[in-house]
């Protein structure tokens, strides 16, 4: 087991380059693999999850070159993948599993996907139900609605699917299968989830669009497609990774951090709205746009935060940031209430559980609820041993909490940060 010891600190100063966005990096490999031509990807995230996606597509005959400054995906076209001769190892990655299911459903060969213990216990019925109703043949090998999943050839039809969850992974799986269907496909979700698939598929030439309804629900639409065409993709910095350093800058007394090139797509940037509501001092600089994905440099200064309520349609735009928001709330004045976030229970760990237990162990006043948590701020945190339970986000969240604890903190299984942010501890050390 790898362990990190973190000492409290003050005055974090400096500039940080955030690694590439995980969601966009996955999609660049997947869409590049099923496009015609060579897709060039810069600022790709070489974290374990995205490397799982590369490995899976290589096993289906795609030549993917990892050069020092870019990735080249030599696409095979929509119908050019070949049968893998072993199980596709999806590692810890829900995005790989669920999005790839949509692509595999349209192939004329059989494949099997399996991952680690965490991945193989996450719910997959949410993609099996809509994809199978399109005509796919996806079965859970142990009959428990989890991976390993077997995908056999089927003839796909367009559907009009009402998704019970606002999930970009579910939406994307259906849209990708829709590329291979014999009619139009619609997916309506209870609130708009991240829209990277829609933006990127459109740039690859797909006929895809989306509509936000007045009641807050959202519908994405795709037409079947003859071929996709290779693109150049500049991956923006991952706001989910920036979130740890945004929190560090706001919470550690005397800090001022310039966090560069952060993706601020509105379907991802809910944490920035919450920071603003909590009274954070964050200035946006150097705003740009690449491939429909807006970015900015964020100048973050130590701030006196106050509690807030987070609920409803903002939740999908900050779902991965709720554990770090809980730490911010624990240091803020007053009460923070987080509701409508039951999806946290089916992430790499049950993050309602892993966040509240670890924060309570540090002395935080937090109680779990059925769909979120309630945090009473202003109680000093103290150092303890944190169990990451091999959840990358939990390891990083409590490494940041450790900076403001009264004494040292030990993070167990700290190497799991490699899933989304391999250089996290090097960056943290450099700032101290
Ligand atoms: C992701 C979607 C979200 C998010 C995950 C990445 C994606 O999951 O939590 O880290 O890349 O589409 P859900 O679709 O389950 O909400």
């Amino acid at each position: 087991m790898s362990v990190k010891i973190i000492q409290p600190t003050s005055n974090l100063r400096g500039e940080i380059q955030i690694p590439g966005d995980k969601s966009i990096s996955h999609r660049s490999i997947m869409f590049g693999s099923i496009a015609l031509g060579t897709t060039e990807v810069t600022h790709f995230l070489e974290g374990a999850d995205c490397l799982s996606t590369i490995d899976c597509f290589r096993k289906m005959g795609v030549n993917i070159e990892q050069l020092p400054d870019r990735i080249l995906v030599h696409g095979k076209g929509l119908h050019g993948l070949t049968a893998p001769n072993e199980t596709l190892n999806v590692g810890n990655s829900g995005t790989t599993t669920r999005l790839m299911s949509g692509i595999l459903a349209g192939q004329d060969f059989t494949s099997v996907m399996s991952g680690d213990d965490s991945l193989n216990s996450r719910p997959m019925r949410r993609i099996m139900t809509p994809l199978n109703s399109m005509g796919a043949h996806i079965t859970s090998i142990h009959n428990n609605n989890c991976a390993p999943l077997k995908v056999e050839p089927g003839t796909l039809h367009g559907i009009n699917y009402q998704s019970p969850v606002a999930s970009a992974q579910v939406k994307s799986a259906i849209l990708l299968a829709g590329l291979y269907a014999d009619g139009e496909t619609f997916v309506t979700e209870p609130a708009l989830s991240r829209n990277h698939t829609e933006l990127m598929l459109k740039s690859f030439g797909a006929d895809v669009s989306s509509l936000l309804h007045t009641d807050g629900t959202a519908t994405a639409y795709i037409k079947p497609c003859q071929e996709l065409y290779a693109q150049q993709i500049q991956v923006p910095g991952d706001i989910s990774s920036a979130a740890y350093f945004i929190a560090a800058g706001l919470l550690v007394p005397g800090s001022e951090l310039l966090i560069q090139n952060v993706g601020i797509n509105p379907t991802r940037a809910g944490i920035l709205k919450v920071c603003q509501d909590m009274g954070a001092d964050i200035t946006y600089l150097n705003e740009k746009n690449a491939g429909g994905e807006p970015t900015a440099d964020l100048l973050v200064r130590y701030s006196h935060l106050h509690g807030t309520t987070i609920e409803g349609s903002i939740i999908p735009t900050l779902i991965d940031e709720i554990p770090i928001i809980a730490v911010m709330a624990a240091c803020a004045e007053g009460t923070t209430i987080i509701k409508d976030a039951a999806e946290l229970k089916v992430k790499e760990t049950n993050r309602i559980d892993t966040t509240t237990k670890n924060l309570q162990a540090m002395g935080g006043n937090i109680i779990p609820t059925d769909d979120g948590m309630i945090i009473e701020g202003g109680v000093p945190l103290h150092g303890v041993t944190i169990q990451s339970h091999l959840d990358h986000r939990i390891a990083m969240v409590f490494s940041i909490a450790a900076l403001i604890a009264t004494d040292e903190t030990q993070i167990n299984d700290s190497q799991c940060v490699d899933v989304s942010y391999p250089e996290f501890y090097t960056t943290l050390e450099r700032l101290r």
Side-chain angles (χ1 to χ4, degrees), residues 312-356:
S313 61
I314 197 171
I315 293 291
T317 73
L318 47 65
I319 189 73
D320 293 341
E321 289 68 72
I322 290 177
I324 193 70
I325 290 173
V327 171
M328 286 163 45
C331 304
E333 192 183 315
T335 310
T336 295
I337 299 171
I338 302 173
K339 296 194 244 187
D340 304 323
E343 276 293 297
L344 288 174
K345 294 180 184 168
V346 292
K347 297 298 176 185
E348 285 81 333
T349 57
N350 174 339
R351 288 185 180 152
I352 294 185
D353 218 45
T354 46
T355 302
T356 53

Short mmCIF file of all heavy atoms in Angstrom, two decimals, residues 312-356:
data_model
loop_
_atom_site.label_atom_id
_atom_site.label_comp_id
_atom_site.label_asym_id
_atom_site.label_seq_id
_atom_site.Cartn_x
_atom_site.Cartn_y
_atom_site.Cartn_z
N GLY A 312 -30.79 20.38 -7.22
CA GLY A 312 -31.48 20.51 -8.51
C GLY A 312 -30.54 20.40 -9.70
O GLY A 312 -29.56 19.64 -9.69
N SER A 313 -30.81 21.22 -10.72
CA SER A 313 -30.16 21.00 -12.02
C SER A 313 -28.68 21.35 -12.02
O SER A 313 -27.97 20.98 -12.95
CB SER A 313 -30.88 21.82 -13.10
OG SER A 313 -30.78 23.18 -12.76
N ILE A 314 -28.18 22.00 -10.97
CA ILE A 314 -26.72 22.28 -10.94
C ILE A 314 -25.94 21.00 -10.59
O ILE A 314 -24.75 20.88 -10.94
CB ILE A 314 -26.38 23.42 -9.95
CG1 ILE A 314 -24.97 23.96 -10.23
CG2 ILE A 314 -26.52 22.97 -8.50
CD1 ILE A 314 -24.60 25.22 -9.48
N ILE A 315 -26.61 20.04 -9.96
CA ILE A 315 -25.89 18.86 -9.45
C ILE A 315 -25.07 18.13 -10.53
O ILE A 315 -23.89 17.87 -10.34
CB ILE A 315 -26.85 17.89 -8.69
CG1 ILE A 315 -27.37 18.57 -7.42
CG2 ILE A 315 -26.20 16.54 -8.39
CD1 ILE A 315 -26.35 18.79 -6.30
N PRO A 316 -25.67 17.82 -11.71
CA PRO A 316 -24.84 17.11 -12.71
C PRO A 316 -23.63 17.92 -13.17
O PRO A 316 -22.67 17.34 -13.66
CB PRO A 316 -25.80 16.89 -13.90
CG PRO A 316 -27.17 17.15 -13.39
CD PRO A 316 -27.06 18.00 -12.18
N THR A 317 -23.65 19.23 -13.00
CA THR A 317 -22.52 20.05 -13.47
C THR A 317 -21.38 20.11 -12.46
O THR A 317 -20.36 20.75 -12.74
CB THR A 317 -22.98 21.49 -13.80
OG1 THR A 317 -23.23 22.20 -12.57
CG2 THR A 317 -24.24 21.53 -14.65
N LEU A 318 -21.56 19.46 -11.30
CA LEU A 318 -20.49 19.46 -10.30
C LEU A 318 -20.42 18.15 -9.53
O LEU A 318 -19.83 18.08 -8.45
CB LEU A 318 -20.65 20.65 -9.32
CG LEU A 318 -22.03 20.92 -8.72
CD1 LEU A 318 -22.53 19.83 -7.81
CD2 LEU A 318 -22.05 22.25 -8.00
N ILE A 319 -21.00 17.08 -10.13
CA ILE A 319 -21.16 15.83 -9.38
C ILE A 319 -19.81 15.31 -8.84
O ILE A 319 -19.73 14.86 -7.71
CB ILE A 319 -21.92 14.76 -10.23
CG1 ILE A 319 -22.29 13.56 -9.38
CG2 ILE A 319 -21.15 14.35 -11.47
CD1 ILE A 319 -23.40 13.78 -8.41
N ASP A 320 -18.74 15.41 -9.65
CA ASP A 320 -17.45 14.87 -9.21
C ASP A 320 -16.76 15.80 -8.21
O ASP A 320 -15.78 15.41 -7.58
CB ASP A 320 -16.53 14.65 -10.42
CG ASP A 320 -17.04 13.53 -11.32
OD1 ASP A 320 -17.87 12.72 -10.87
OD2 ASP A 320 -16.62 13.48 -12.50
N GLU A 321 -17.27 17.04 -8.09
CA GLU A 321 -16.62 18.01 -7.20
C GLU A 321 -17.29 18.08 -5.83
O GLU A 321 -16.84 18.84 -4.95
CB GLU A 321 -16.65 19.41 -7.86
CG GLU A 321 -15.72 19.55 -9.04
CD GLU A 321 -16.13 18.72 -10.24
OE1 GLU A 321 -17.14 19.04 -10.91
OE2 GLU A 321 -15.45 17.70 -10.52
N ILE A 322 -18.37 17.33 -5.62
CA ILE A 322 -19.08 17.44 -4.33
C ILE A 322 -18.18 17.08 -3.13
O ILE A 322 -18.20 17.80 -2.12
CB ILE A 322 -20.40 16.64 -4.35
CG1 ILE A 322 -21.38 17.38 -5.30
CG2 ILE A 322 -21.00 16.52 -2.95
CD1 ILE A 322 -22.71 16.71 -5.50
N PRO A 323 -17.33 16.05 -3.22
CA PRO A 323 -16.47 15.79 -2.05
C PRO A 323 -15.55 16.97 -1.69
O PRO A 323 -15.40 17.29 -0.51
CB PRO A 323 -15.67 14.56 -2.49
CG PRO A 323 -16.57 13.86 -3.46
CD PRO A 323 -17.25 14.97 -4.23
N ILE A 324 -15.01 17.67 -2.69
CA ILE A 324 -14.13 18.81 -2.35
C ILE A 324 -14.99 20.00 -1.88
O ILE A 324 -14.57 20.77 -1.01
CB ILE A 324 -13.17 19.18 -3.52
CG1 ILE A 324 -12.06 20.15 -3.04
CG2 ILE A 324 -13.86 19.81 -4.71
CD1 ILE A 324 -11.07 19.56 -2.13
N ILE A 325 -16.20 20.13 -2.42
CA ILE A 325 -17.10 21.19 -1.94
C ILE A 325 -17.43 20.92 -0.46
O ILE A 325 -17.52 21.87 0.34
CB ILE A 325 -18.37 21.26 -2.82
CG1 ILE A 325 -18.01 21.79 -4.21
CG2 ILE A 325 -19.45 22.13 -2.17
CD1 ILE A 325 -19.15 21.75 -5.22
N ALA A 326 -17.56 19.66 -0.10
CA ALA A 326 -17.85 19.33 1.32
C ALA A 326 -16.72 19.82 2.22
O ALA A 326 -16.96 20.32 3.32
CB ALA A 326 -18.06 17.82 1.47
N VAL A 327 -15.48 19.68 1.75
CA VAL A 327 -14.34 20.17 2.55
C VAL A 327 -14.40 21.70 2.65
O VAL A 327 -14.19 22.28 3.72
CB VAL A 327 -13.00 19.70 1.94
CG1 VAL A 327 -11.82 20.38 2.62
CG2 VAL A 327 -12.88 18.18 2.05
N MET A 328 -14.70 22.36 1.54
CA MET A 328 -14.84 23.83 1.58
C MET A 328 -15.94 24.23 2.56
O MET A 328 -15.78 25.17 3.35
CB MET A 328 -15.15 24.37 0.17
CG MET A 328 -13.95 24.34 -0.76
SD MET A 328 -14.40 24.52 -2.52
CE MET A 328 -15.56 25.84 -2.47
N ALA A 329 -17.05 23.48 2.52
CA ALA A 329 -18.18 23.79 3.40
C ALA A 329 -17.80 23.60 4.87
O ALA A 329 -18.26 24.35 5.74
CB ALA A 329 -19.37 22.91 3.04
N ALA A 330 -16.96 22.60 5.13
CA ALA A 330 -16.55 22.34 6.52
C ALA A 330 -15.73 23.52 7.07
O ALA A 330 -15.66 23.71 8.28
CB ALA A 330 -15.74 21.05 6.59
N CYS A 331 -15.11 24.28 6.18
CA CYS A 331 -14.29 25.42 6.61
C CYS A 331 -15.05 26.73 6.49
O CYS A 331 -14.50 27.79 6.82
CB CYS A 331 -13.04 25.50 5.74
SG CYS A 331 -12.11 23.99 5.76
N ALA A 332 -16.27 26.68 5.96
CA ALA A 332 -17.03 27.93 5.74
C ALA A 332 -17.83 28.27 6.99
O ALA A 332 -18.03 27.42 7.86
CB ALA A 332 -17.96 27.73 4.55
N GLU A 333 -18.30 29.50 7.02
CA GLU A 333 -19.15 29.90 8.14
C GLU A 333 -20.58 29.49 7.82
O GLU A 333 -21.08 29.79 6.73
CB GLU A 333 -19.05 31.42 8.26
CG GLU A 333 -19.62 31.98 9.52
CD GLU A 333 -19.53 33.50 9.48
OE1 GLU A 333 -18.47 34.06 9.10
OE2 GLU A 333 -20.55 34.13 9.82
N GLY A 334 -21.24 28.80 8.75
CA GLY A 334 -22.66 28.46 8.55
C GLY A 334 -22.86 27.08 7.95
O GLY A 334 -21.92 26.28 7.86
N THR A 335 -24.08 26.86 7.51
CA THR A 335 -24.51 25.52 7.08
C THR A 335 -24.51 25.40 5.56
O THR A 335 -24.93 26.31 4.86
CB THR A 335 -25.96 25.27 7.57
OG1 THR A 335 -26.00 25.61 8.96
CG2 THR A 335 -26.41 23.85 7.37
N THR A 336 -24.06 24.25 5.07
CA THR A 336 -24.19 23.93 3.64
C THR A 336 -25.05 22.67 3.52
O THR A 336 -24.82 21.69 4.23
CB THR A 336 -22.81 23.71 2.99
OG1 THR A 336 -22.10 24.95 3.03
CG2 THR A 336 -22.92 23.24 1.55
N ILE A 337 -26.01 22.74 2.62
CA ILE A 337 -26.89 21.59 2.38
C ILE A 337 -26.70 21.14 0.94
O ILE A 337 -26.78 21.97 0.02
CB ILE A 337 -28.37 21.97 2.62
CG1 ILE A 337 -28.55 22.43 4.08
CG2 ILE A 337 -29.31 20.80 2.30
CD1 ILE A 337 -29.91 23.03 4.37
N ILE A 338 -26.43 19.86 0.75
CA ILE A 338 -26.29 19.29 -0.61
C ILE A 338 -27.38 18.24 -0.79
O ILE A 338 -27.45 17.28 -0.01
CB ILE A 338 -24.88 18.69 -0.82
CG1 ILE A 338 -23.81 19.78 -0.58
CG2 ILE A 338 -24.75 18.10 -2.23
CD1 ILE A 338 -22.39 19.27 -0.58
N LYS A 339 -28.24 18.45 -1.79
CA LYS A 339 -29.39 17.55 -2.05
C LYS A 339 -29.37 17.06 -3.49
O LYS A 339 -28.65 17.62 -4.32
CB LYS A 339 -30.70 18.32 -1.88
CG LYS A 339 -31.01 18.85 -0.53
CD LYS A 339 -32.48 19.27 -0.50
CE LYS A 339 -32.59 20.75 -0.28
NZ LYS A 339 -33.96 21.21 -0.09
N ASP A 340 -30.21 16.10 -3.80
CA ASP A 340 -30.41 15.60 -5.18
C ASP A 340 -29.14 14.97 -5.77
O ASP A 340 -28.95 14.97 -6.99
CB ASP A 340 -30.86 16.74 -6.11
CG ASP A 340 -32.12 17.43 -5.62
OD1 ASP A 340 -33.00 16.73 -5.08
OD2 ASP A 340 -32.22 18.67 -5.75
N ALA A 341 -28.28 14.47 -4.89
CA ALA A 341 -26.99 13.96 -5.36
C ALA A 341 -26.82 12.47 -5.04
O ALA A 341 -25.71 12.02 -4.75
CB ALA A 341 -25.86 14.79 -4.76
N ALA A 342 -27.92 11.70 -5.12
CA ALA A 342 -27.85 10.26 -4.82
C ALA A 342 -26.88 9.54 -5.77
O ALA A 342 -26.35 8.48 -5.44
CB ALA A 342 -29.24 9.64 -4.90
N GLU A 343 -26.61 10.12 -6.95
CA GLU A 343 -25.66 9.52 -7.90
C GLU A 343 -24.28 9.32 -7.28
O GLU A 343 -23.50 8.49 -7.73
CB GLU A 343 -25.54 10.39 -9.15
CG GLU A 343 -26.62 10.14 -10.18
CD GLU A 343 -26.53 8.77 -10.80
OE1 GLU A 343 -25.52 8.50 -11.46
OE2 GLU A 343 -27.43 7.95 -10.61
N LEU A 344 -23.97 10.10 -6.23
CA LEU A 344 -22.67 9.96 -5.56
C LEU A 344 -22.46 8.54 -5.04
O LEU A 344 -21.32 8.11 -4.87
CB LEU A 344 -22.59 10.92 -4.37
CG LEU A 344 -22.42 12.40 -4.70
CD1 LEU A 344 -22.51 13.22 -3.43
CD2 LEU A 344 -21.08 12.64 -5.40
N LYS A 345 -23.57 7.84 -4.79
CA LYS A 345 -23.46 6.50 -4.20
C LYS A 345 -22.90 5.48 -5.18
O LYS A 345 -22.50 4.39 -4.77
CB LYS A 345 -24.84 6.03 -3.73
CG LYS A 345 -25.42 6.83 -2.60
CD LYS A 345 -26.78 6.25 -2.25
CE LYS A 345 -27.48 7.06 -1.19
NZ LYS A 345 -28.89 6.66 -1.07
N VAL A 346 -22.95 5.79 -6.50
CA VAL A 346 -22.52 4.80 -7.49
C VAL A 346 -21.30 5.26 -8.27
O VAL A 346 -21.10 4.91 -9.43
CB VAL A 346 -23.68 4.39 -8.44
CG1 VAL A 346 -24.74 3.62 -7.68
CG2 VAL A 346 -24.30 5.61 -9.13
N LYS A 347 -20.47 6.06 -7.62
CA LYS A 347 -19.18 6.45 -8.24
C LYS A 347 -18.13 5.40 -7.87
O LYS A 347 -18.47 4.31 -7.43
CB LYS A 347 -18.80 7.86 -7.77
CG LYS A 347 -19.80 8.93 -8.22
CD LYS A 347 -19.87 9.03 -9.73
CE LYS A 347 -20.93 10.01 -10.18
NZ LYS A 347 -21.09 10.02 -11.63
N GLU A 348 -16.84 5.73 -8.00
CA GLU A 348 -15.77 4.74 -7.75
C GLU A 348 -15.90 4.16 -6.35
O GLU A 348 -15.51 3.01 -6.09
CB GLU A 348 -14.40 5.38 -7.97
CG GLU A 348 -14.02 5.60 -9.43
CD GLU A 348 -14.63 6.86 -10.06
OE1 GLU A 348 -15.71 7.34 -9.64
OE2 GLU A 348 -14.00 7.37 -11.02
N THR A 349 -16.38 4.98 -5.40
CA THR A 349 -16.86 4.47 -4.11
C THR A 349 -18.21 5.14 -3.89
O THR A 349 -18.60 6.03 -4.65
CB THR A 349 -15.95 4.89 -2.94
OG1 THR A 349 -15.84 6.32 -2.92
CG2 THR A 349 -14.57 4.26 -3.02
N ASN A 350 -18.90 4.74 -2.82
CA ASN A 350 -20.10 5.48 -2.40
C ASN A 350 -19.57 6.78 -1.77
O ASN A 350 -19.10 6.80 -0.63
CB ASN A 350 -20.89 4.65 -1.39
CG ASN A 350 -22.06 5.45 -0.82
OD1 ASN A 350 -22.07 6.68 -0.85
ND2 ASN A 350 -23.04 4.74 -0.30
N ARG A 351 -19.60 7.86 -2.55
CA ARG A 351 -18.92 9.08 -2.10
C ARG A 351 -19.70 9.86 -1.04
O ARG A 351 -19.12 10.76 -0.44
CB ARG A 351 -18.56 9.97 -3.31
CG ARG A 351 -17.42 9.38 -4.11
CD ARG A 351 -16.98 10.30 -5.24
NE ARG A 351 -15.88 9.69 -5.98
CZ ARG A 351 -15.61 9.92 -7.25
NH1 ARG A 351 -16.38 10.75 -7.95
NH2 ARG A 351 -14.58 9.34 -7.84
N ILE A 352 -20.96 9.52 -0.81
CA ILE A 352 -21.63 10.13 0.36
C ILE A 352 -20.95 9.54 1.59
O ILE A 352 -20.58 10.25 2.53
CB ILE A 352 -23.15 9.85 0.35
CG1 ILE A 352 -23.80 10.57 -0.84
CG2 ILE A 352 -23.78 10.31 1.69
CD1 ILE A 352 -25.31 10.48 -0.90
N ASP A 353 -20.74 8.24 1.53
CA ASP A 353 -20.14 7.51 2.64
C ASP A 353 -18.66 7.85 2.85
O ASP A 353 -18.25 8.19 3.96
CB ASP A 353 -20.23 6.04 2.20
CG ASP A 353 -20.55 5.15 3.32
OD1 ASP A 353 -21.44 5.50 4.09
OD2 ASP A 353 -19.86 4.10 3.41
N THR A 354 -17.87 7.78 1.79
CA THR A 354 -16.42 7.98 1.95
C THR A 354 -16.10 9.44 2.28
O THR A 354 -15.13 9.72 2.98
CB THR A 354 -15.65 7.50 0.70
OG1 THR A 354 -16.29 8.00 -0.49
CG2 THR A 354 -15.60 5.99 0.62
N THR A 355 -16.92 10.37 1.80
CA THR A 355 -16.68 11.78 2.13
C THR A 355 -17.06 12.05 3.59
O THR A 355 -16.27 12.64 4.34
CB THR A 355 -17.51 12.70 1.20
OG1 THR A 355 -17.14 12.43 -0.14
CG2 THR A 355 -17.26 14.17 1.50
N THR A 356 -18.25 11.61 3.98
CA THR A 356 -18.69 11.95 5.34
C THR A 356 -17.83 11.24 6.39
O THR A 356 -17.41 11.85 7.36
CB THR A 356 -20.19 11.65 5.57
OG1 THR A 356 -20.44 10.31 5.21
CG2 THR A 356 -21.08 12.53 4.76
#
